[in-house]
Amino acid sequence: MSNELEIPSVDSVSGTGVAVRGNDIDTDQIIPARFMKVVTFDGLGEFAFFDQRFDDDDNEKDHPLNEPQNRDASVMVVNANFGCGSSREHAPQALMRWGIDAFIGESFAEIFAGNCLALGMPTLEADTEVVEELQAWVEANPDGEIDVDVAEETVTYGGKTVGVRVDDAQRKALVDGVWDTTALMKANAEAVDETAESLPYVEDGKRV
Amino acid sequence: MSEGTLYDKVWDRHAVTRLPTGQDQLFVGLHLIHEVTSPQAFGMLRERDLEVAYPDLTHATVDHIVPTSSKERPYADTAAEEMMAELEENVHESGIEFSHPDTGEQGIVHVIGPEQGLTQPGTTIVCGDSHTSTHGAFGALAFGIGTSQIRDVLATGTVAMEKQKVRKIEVTGELGDGVEAKDVILEIIRRLGTEGGVGYVYEYAGEAIENLDMEGRMSICNMSIEGGARAGYVNPDETTYAWLEGRERVPEGEAFEERKAYWESIRSDDNAEYDDVVTIDGGELEPVVTWGTTPAQGVGVTEPIPEPEDLPADKVETARRAQEHMRVEPGETMEGYPIDVAFLGSCTNARLPDLRRAARLVKGRTVDPDVRAMVVPGSQQVKQAAEAEGLDEIFTEAGFDWRGAGCSMCLGMNEDQLEGDEACASSSNRNFVGRQGSKDGRTVLMNPRMVVAAAINGEVTDVRAMKEVTVNE
């Protein structure tokens, strides 16, 4: 059965980094609404940060994702309240399809972090100074390897290891490989029915 | 942790089990779907050979991409047509009820839920749209979710979530003339910040909230997400029950009384414990308008726009960039800011009372000839009711474009978009750069009457200075 698919454990992520600076970067910036007129997520990668990356005539603007040395980056280092605004999963989907596997930032909007988790992408939080130092390092060392250890809540780069924070549920889901919750929850179908029937507004799975 | 709040009670009633991740598996009483965020989820379902577990607790509408000029099919925009066709096929295959445009019940998902009595107190509601928080106005726990979670809900009738903290936001006193629910929520977000609510749900309480009609409460709960809170709610009361009674899909007679007992039982206890309490004096508020590119960058209409340097350190750079984009100067007020477009619509403020209040102000006046002004009712039912009262004539006589129901210029996924660097007075919920379809466009958020006042004068106007003409309601 395809719904019993193996969910990989995401206990670590390694790769080069890209710094996207700025607080309150909203999902409208990450993927403008006009690119959401699609019925699958395929191909969204090229539209990530589109309006920050291209001008009206589709000429490239200064943006870290346009820099050739960042093209293979898999760890995105951001600032505070990243991914605020719309709940569109198109945002993390676009970044994932661009090549990002993990985010390190000062803070993340709740739904964005939840959407990332559903895709097996960790969102790790760190203090402002830690993030800024890492952003500066990433910019100076575009080929430098970053090792993210989700289980240990550490990030190692340039010979040093710093502490980051991962939400408990997120860490457990990623490390134990239970972040794709469909099969997990489907297994409790009987208990779900019982809960439903205990509610005054549901009867036989219908609204009453 | 909170105890005895509506949030705790409704959560406990819907929690199925604790998952190995430590999250709760929460039963979903109402799953609202639309054309933008659900097709991919249906695709994932097919890939895994799964079916919709509770089609009768699921309800569909189409709102983001629908043209507001004509319902003619196929839609001129082929991408929009494809999305619509996909939704039609998915709901047909799964046996999901659909407020299709042909039914006369189509509209923005957060307008039609309450309107049709689908939204009720003490339920859990999810939708792939962050403004699902709107439904909290009824004392429901309502969350915006992503597409992978939509897949979960379709497949299992449940969603995996972590319980959050509860912040009570008490708005005391009486709102002044010209001050509306929208101003209250803009002020809350301005004070607590766009990320102030992360990790919390907001319980809105206090005299000023209790005195609001249901539509006002919806406006406030709608924008909870703009403050970073995943959900917001108001405890159900007689205003709620009166609004619900007699609506389609709401139980009648004795069944209504029985249901009401449940609704009463899930209200927050008088001695409930909160993780945080914030108090705001509603009597002090004036109409709030945004000067920047996040909903937190707001200011009273007569107050000076702040100097970026006077803001907290982490807000300085964002403010500087926002002021450059919006072309505003610190020290000045937003009053007099020239606008090119006026948009009265969106799931925040496109309900009948919003249109009525706006029409009262519009009657006998005309839109500035340089302003492109439009009214987009939140649903076909709102549109019909407004037309029955003659509100459409008031708007069109004044020079407003009276359009069909949908999300329209709130996010620019249909033909209604800003062009170039147009400045828009908008009753919607987001002023992000590029939000209304043009990356150079400038959005100023405000309450519905402030929007029409700006349309008439061609600039941001203090609505309190304008005389009202009474309209028969």
Side-chain angles (χ1 to χ4, degrees), chain A residues 23 37 89 180-182 193, chain B residues 25 48 54 77 148 152 314:
Chain A
N23 295 336
K37 283 199 212 166
E89 187 173 305
D180 183 321
T181 36
T182 308
D193 272 337
Chain B
Q25 180 173 356
R48 298 182 187 202
Y54 294 94
D77 177 348
S148 295
D152 283 357
D314 61 332

Side-chain angles (χ1 to χ4, degrees), chain A residues 3 23 28 37 54 56 81 85-87 89 110-111 115 167 169 172 180-182 186 188 193 201 208, chain B residues 14 20 25 48 50 54 77 130 146-148 151-152 155 162 164 199 230 259 314 413 430 435 439:
Chain A
N3 60 346
N23 295 336
D28 273 86
K37 283 199 212 166
F54 299 97
D56 289 338
N81 199 28
S86 162
S87 61
E89 187 173 305
E110 208 106 42
I111 299 183
N115 283 339
D167 166 85
K172 213 160 163 16
D180 183 321
T181 36
T182 308
K186 188 89 188 146
N188 301 328
D193 272 337
Y201 65 93
V208 286
Chain B
H14 291 77
Q25 180 173 356
R48 298 182 187 202
L50 293 167
Y54 294 94
D77 177 348
S130 59
T147 296
S148 295
R151 172 199 65 204
D152 283 357
E162 263 176 281
Q164 297 177 318
R230 188 77 177 265
R259 193 61 57 79
D314 61 332
M413 274 190 82
R430 287 184 177 144
R435 173 74 182 178
K439 56 189 168 185

Side-chain angles (χ1 to χ4, degrees), chain B residues 48-182:
Chain B
R48 298 182 187 202
D49 202 16
L50 293 167
E51 289 186 348
V52 178
Y54 294 94
D56 293 315
L57 299 179
T58 313
H59 191 97
T61 186
V62 57
D63 49 14
H64 288 61
I65 53 95
V66 286
T68 54
S69 47
S70 154
K71 292 196 294 168
E72 277 306 286
R73 295 286 297 277
Y75 296 145
D77 177 348
T78 50
E81 175 61 30
E82 195 194 343
M83 294 172 85
M84 178 61 166
E86 184 86 11
L87 182 66
E88 286 173 322
E89 195 187 316
N90 285 334
V91 298
H92 178 72
E93 267 182 22
S94 312
I96 293 168
E97 200 176 15
F98 182 17
S99 292
H100 190 280
D102 294 346
T103 62
E105 293 192 334
Q106 172 265 340
I108 309 177
V109 64
H110 312 307
V111 177
I112 68 147
E115 188 171 80
Q116 297 180 23
L118 287 160
T119 302
Q120 292 179 20
T123 57
T124 44
I125 303 176
V126 300
C127 173
D129 188 288
S130 59
H131 294 108
T132 307
S133 58
T134 310
H135 307 265
F138 291 80
L141 292 190
F143 306 99
I145 56 173
T147 296
S148 295
Q149 289 171 306
I150 297 175
R151 172 199 65 204
D152 283 357
V153 182
L154 288 174
T156 71
T158 60
V159 68
M161 273 195 184
E162 263 176 281
K163 210 170 164 212
Q164 297 177 318
K165 294 182 279 188
V166 184
R167 171 178 291 141
K168 184 181 191 176
I169 300 180
E170 231 169 342
V171 188
T172 59
E174 201 177 318
L175 302 180
D177 282 344
V179 180
E180 302 191 12
K182 180 67 160 284

Side-chain angles (χ1 to χ4, degrees), chain B residues 215-241:
Chain B
E215 287 81 1
R217 296 177 188 185
M218 284 188 247
S219 297
I220 290 186
C221 290
N222 174 273
M223 291 187 68
S224 301
I225 189 69
E226 311 309 338
R230 188 77 177 265
Y233 65 86
V234 178
N235 275 300
D237 59 10
E238 290 304 326
T239 305
T240 321
Y241 310 143

